[in-house]
């Protein structure tokens, strides 16, 4: 007999969608039902609530445009489509990249030239009025920021990107909303249903939680609670005081957020970057991160996506210690996100540069389990946020060691031009600035800085995952100090790496006499090489081999690829035989070499010859 929930789903759909919907529901109903039961089953009216949710999901499936339904079908046939070495991501703020959504579309040729197949545009929905944490305080899930365009522009952009073979990724900021979102305004105006969308505590209860909570922005936004007189208490606000955490113990919140996401999926967004996923569930006496219920929520969300929009990918943005990262993929029976930021790999790459020792990268690689099928790491070098050193504590063994790394980047102790953040245990700055290009004056210093820039990118490109470039790094863009003069941004040094796209540098990108041209060419060469190596697909195992010199990172990928990275200022003579190959190889300071594992030949050369 058909369950009422399935009946409600099908009732919303035209006949031609029934068979597929029924099949997908059959595949996911067990996990969906179970997770929602565990989260909300104790509440009165649970079964009716679930049936209502399925009716809403059915309506959204009925409204899904035919082109997107076709995309769903193609991707269901090839669920690992995003794991191939053809995939390359790019991340940018729409306004900084192209002025607005139309301007971002006009940059498709720039993306195509690099080989980009995935574009993450940072928050472009209508943000809070005034300060909005770069759009991470969302006032409406159903409106585009009018300064950036309209919903029609968004639909047009997704269609044009799709035509160019590029999937649009958008942020789904599901941990919090802006204090001027209608849910927050309604709550402040006394609507009891909406008040339950948030965590409102009295002073003592807030203090009890605060005892075991960390702080994300200890300087710019200390504490985790904001006293809001209109709410008669302390509102949970993990990030800025104007970002109110949503209360996922309330099923209405889950339903409202899930359906908002599916509405956006129907506009053509193909990947959702689930912002701050680690923080979704609160538990007294803990740091309220990575709680089991946060995973149940993600499993339920994934099941809904698999039913309603199976062409869509979910990406976990959980900036947490290595051991917590794999959890965000879920399990074979209960998958969560398709993609997860490998944030400690990124952090370890920079730490290895500072220490001239690759041991932290080796430790992270060793702590990284093989990927489940149909999942991929997201690898990267820089993004719009800071590099948080503390997440490497397990690998580093002590905060002192990480303070040393932070000191190297933040205090001008070497070639790097970074600025401190989060009380000093984090760093901001562009990849070029942190690599020393900004400070480099001699040809020699420029050459070495470029090698370091390519070294960290090489690691992201060959570790195994979907590599995402951060806008401007392909042009070796320097730090932008303008934020210091803007009272709305001066307190948040992350703005140093959020400069507008530099037209002059872009015009120089083919000029091999310029550092920009050399960075761009070097990056493109690695990207082209990667595309030709099936062993660099996400799922192929990656092993950090024992290397005789601590500064050497030797990564073996599959049967064919051996990638060597020299994290030091010394020339290393590498015994390839000890690494399972043949002969020796001299690796210049901060240089890298991608070799055939057995012959020891440079893969680049082999590829050139084959062409
Ligand atoms: C995310 O950040 C976003 O990427 C930031 O830009 C936002 O400010 C923040 O959420 C609030 O929406 O904790 O796991 O350390 O890495 O805030 C998610 C700074 C996060 C960011 C951190 C991050």
């Amino acid at each position: 007999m058909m369950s009422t929930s399935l009946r409600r789903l099908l009732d919303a759909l035209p006949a031609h969608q029934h068979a597929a919907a029924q099949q997908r529901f059959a595949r996911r109903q067990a996990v969906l039902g179970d997770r929602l039961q565990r989260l909300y089953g104790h509440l009165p009216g649970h079964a009716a609530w679930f049936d209502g949710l399925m009716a809403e999901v059915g309506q959204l499936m009925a409204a899904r445009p035919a082109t997107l339904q076709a995309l769903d079908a193609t991707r269901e046939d090839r669920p690992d489509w995003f794991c191939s070495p053809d995939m390359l991501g790019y991340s940018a703020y729409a306004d900084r990249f192209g002025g607005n959504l139309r301007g971002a579309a006009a940059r498709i040729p720039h993306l195509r030239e690099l080989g980009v197949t995935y574009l993450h545009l940072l928050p472009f929905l209508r943000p809070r009025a005034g300060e909005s944490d770069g759009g991470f305080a969302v006032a409406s899930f159903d409106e585009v920021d009018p300064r950036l365009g309209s919903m029609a522009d968004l639909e047009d952009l997704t269609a044009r990107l799709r035509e160019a073979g590029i999937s649009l990724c958008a942020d789904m900021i599901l941990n919090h909303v802006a204090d001027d979102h209608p849910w927050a305004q309604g709550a402040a105006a006394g609507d009891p249903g909406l008040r339950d969308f948030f965590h409102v505590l009295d002073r003592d209860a807030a203090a009890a939680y605060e005892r075991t909570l960390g702080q994300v922005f200890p300087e710019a936004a200390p504490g985790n609670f904001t006293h809001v007189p209109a709410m008669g208490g302390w509102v949970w606000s993990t990030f800025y005081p104007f970002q109110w955490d949503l209360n996922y113990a309330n099923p209405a919140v889950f339903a409202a957020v899930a359906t908002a996401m599916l509405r956006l999926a129907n506009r053509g967004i193909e990947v959702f970057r689930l912002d701050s996923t680690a923080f979704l569930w609160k538990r007294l006496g803990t740091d309220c991160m990575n709680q089991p219920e946060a995973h149940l929520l993600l499993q339920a969300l994934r099941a809904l996506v698999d039913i309603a929009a199976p062409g869509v990918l979910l990406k976990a943005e959980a900036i947490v210690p290595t051991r917590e990262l794999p959890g965000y993929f879920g399990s074979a029976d209960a998958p969560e996100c398709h993609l997860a930021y490998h944030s400690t790999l990124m952090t370890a790459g920079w730490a290895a540069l500072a220490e001239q020792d690759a041991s932290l990268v080796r430790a992270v690689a060793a702590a990284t389990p093989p990927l489940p099928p149909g999942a991929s790491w997201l690898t990267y070098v820089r993004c719009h946020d800071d590099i948080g050193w503390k997440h490497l504590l397990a690998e580093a063994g002590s905060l002192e060691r990480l303070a040393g790394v932070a000191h190297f980047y933040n205090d001008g102790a070497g070639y790097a031009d970074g600025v401190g953040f989060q009380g000093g245990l984090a760093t901001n700055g562009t990849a070029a600035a942190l690599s020393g290009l900004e400070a480099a004056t001699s040809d020699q210093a420029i050459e070495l800085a470029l090698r370091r820039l390519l070294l960290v990118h090489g690691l992201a490109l060959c570790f195994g995952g979907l590599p995402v470039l951060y806008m401007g790094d392909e042009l070796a863009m320097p730090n932008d100090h303008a934020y210091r003069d803007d009272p709305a941004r001066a307190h948040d040094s992350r703005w140093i790496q959020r400069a507008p796209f530099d037209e002059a540098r872009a015009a120089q990108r083919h000029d091999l006499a310029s550092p920009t041209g050399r960075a761009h060419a070097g990056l493109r060469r690695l990207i082209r090489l990667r595309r030709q190596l099936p062993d660099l697909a996400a799922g192929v195992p990656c092993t950090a081999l024992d290397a005789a010199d601590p500064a050497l990172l030797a990564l073996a990928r599959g049967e064919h690829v051996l990638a060597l990275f020299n994290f030091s200022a010394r020339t290393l003579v590498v015994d390839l035989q000890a690494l399972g190959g043949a002969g020796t190889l001299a690796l210049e300071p901060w240089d890298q070499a991608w070799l055939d594992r057995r012959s020891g030949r440079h893969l680049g050369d082999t590829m050139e010859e084959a062409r």
Side-chain angles (χ1 to χ4, degrees), residues 35-256:
R35 297 319 186 253
L36 294 176
Q37 172 70 34
R38 279 157 73 177
L39 288 161
Y40 307 122
H42 61 284
L43 298 171
H46 175 71
W49 170 81
F50 182 53
D51 294 345
L53 176 63
M54 292 323 290
E56 251 188 284
V57 168
Q59 281 155 22
L60 286 161
M61 289 169 74
R64 191 154 169 83
T67 44
L68 298 178
Q69 289 190 40
L71 193 70
D72 289 337
T74 323
R75 293 196 173 152
E76 276 187 298
D77 290 342
R78 231 193 103 203
D80 61 352
W81 64 275
F82 57 97
C83 299
S84 101
D86 287 337
M87 286 291 291
L88 179 71
Y90 190 92
S91 171
Y93 284 97
D95 62 336
R96 313 239 132 201
F97 187 38
N100 54 29
L101 293 185
R102 283 184 195 204
R107 295 242 189 254
I108 290 175
H110 180 77
L111 299 175
R112 290 302 303 147
E113 184 183 68
L114 285 166
V116 168
T117 59
Y118 161 116
L119 172 64
H120 167 215
L121 284 183
L122 283 144
F124 52 73
L125 295 177
R126 186 162 69 75
R128 177 179 188 272
E131 230 184 279
S132 70
D133 187 18
F136 279 95
V138 173
S140 167
F141 290 114
D142 293 290
E143 289 163 75
V144 168
D145 181 349
R147 288 165 296 194
L148 298 176
S150 62
M151 268 298 168
D153 292 332
L154 175 63
E155 284 175 320
D156 181 62
L157 171 66
T158 60
R160 286 174 63 181
L161 286 170
R162 234 182 342 270
E163 239 166 73
I166 303 174
S167 299
L168 182 68
C169 167
D171 287 276
M172 186 65 206
I173 297 144
L174 74 177
N175 177 67
H176 45 265
V177 294
D179 59 359
D180 63 356
H181 187 287
W183 299 342
Q185 284 181 330
D191 180 323
L194 290 174
R195 186 184 169 87
D196 273 352
F197 269 47
F198 302 95
H199 301 274
V200 192
L201 286 73
D202 64 31
R203 181 189 294 270
D204 292 346
Y209 276 103
E210 198 71 90
R211 274 196 276 281
T212 52
L213 287 173
Q215 296 198 50
V216 184
F217 304 133
E219 285 160 338
N224 290 275
F225 297 89
T226 303
H227 186 245
V228 181
M231 298 278 271
W234 295 76
V235 174
W236 203 306
S237 54
T238 300
F239 297 90
Y240 280 105
F242 51 76
Q243 288 161 310
W244 291 5
D245 288 39
L246 288 166
N247 170 20
Y248 279 92
N250 177 357
V253 168
F254 176 82

Side-chain angles (χ1 to χ4, degrees), residues 133 136 176 239 273 275-276 317 384-386 422 494:
D133 187 18
F136 279 95
H176 45 265
F239 297 90
R273 173 188 180 278
D275 185 63
S276 309
E317 194 255 353
H384 67 292
D385 281 333
D386 53 301
Q422 295 189 344
R494 291 177 298 169

